[in-house]
Amino acid sequence: MQNLSNENDTIQLCGLLWDALNFSKYLDLETAWDIGETIGKRLPTAEEWQALCDLGSTWDDERKGRWFGGNHDTDRRGSLFLPADGVRHSYNDEVGGEGTTGYYWSSEDHPEGHRLYKVLFFDNTETDTAPYLHYPQGCSIRFVQDL
């Protein structure tokens, strides 16, 4: 994946250092937590995903994903690109939505448990930080660090 940001490894947005590239796609949440702990990074909270969405975003039809923040709708400087890698379904291990939807884990679980966690969802028309997914599903991983 080509990095078009001003930074090589991270992009500073919303008071965080965002990894410029996805760590992986189709990881279950438990594996993502373990990896984050090992490398000293963490998953964004649902509120941090929402703050990123509030900066504005633009769908990139050529690269199949969304640019967030910075100059997302012009030269993309200072913007964070999230590819639309879809989701791996836990019930049949098949990938759905590749190239049309993005699902990214947050660290926020459902208030009543149920093994559900909030995700950032987007496609070519919208972004949404409200959906919950069952944590054995496989979503994309974008790690952050506090400043």
Side-chain angles (χ1 to χ4, degrees), residues 26-41:
Y26 315 136
L27 281 183
D28 65 84
L29 189 57
E30 204 166 307
T31 302
W33 281 330
D34 290 344
I35 291 168
E37 187 175 302
T38 301
I39 63 174
K41 298 181 181 183

Side-chain angles (χ1 to χ4, degrees), residues 75-91:
D75 65 7
R76 300 189 169 106
R77 291 202 180 276
S79 297
L80 180 69
F81 181 75
L82 299 177
D85 289 330
V87 63
R88 181 184 44 80
H89 301 287
S90 60
Y91 59 89

Side-chain angles (χ1 to χ4, degrees), residues 102-113:
Y103 290 86
Y104 286 76
W105 285 121
S106 84
S107 59
E108 185 176 328
D109 65 344
H110 191 278
E112 297 175 13

Side-chain angles (χ1 to χ4, degrees), residues 37-82:
E37 187 175 302
T38 301
I39 63 174
K41 298 181 181 183
R42 65 176 178 81
L43 295 173
T45 66
E47 292 79 21
E48 290 164 343
W49 279 125
Q50 185 60 55
L52 184 70
C53 291
D54 290 346
L55 295 176
S57 66
T58 301
W59 177 260
D60 186 326
D61 204 33
E62 183 180 319
R63 293 188 65 196
K64 305 297 183 203
R66 214 168 245 295
W67 291 94
F68 290 83
N71 297 340
H72 62 86
D73 57 348
T74 57
D75 65 7
R76 300 189 169 106
R77 291 202 180 276
S79 297
L80 180 69
F81 181 75
L82 299 177

Side-chain angles (χ1 to χ4, degrees), residues 107-118 130-132:
S107 59
E108 185 176 328
D109 65 344
H110 191 278
E112 297 175 13
H114 307 295
R115 296 169 45 145
L116 296 170
Y117 282 79
K118 277 197 172 183
Y132 286 93

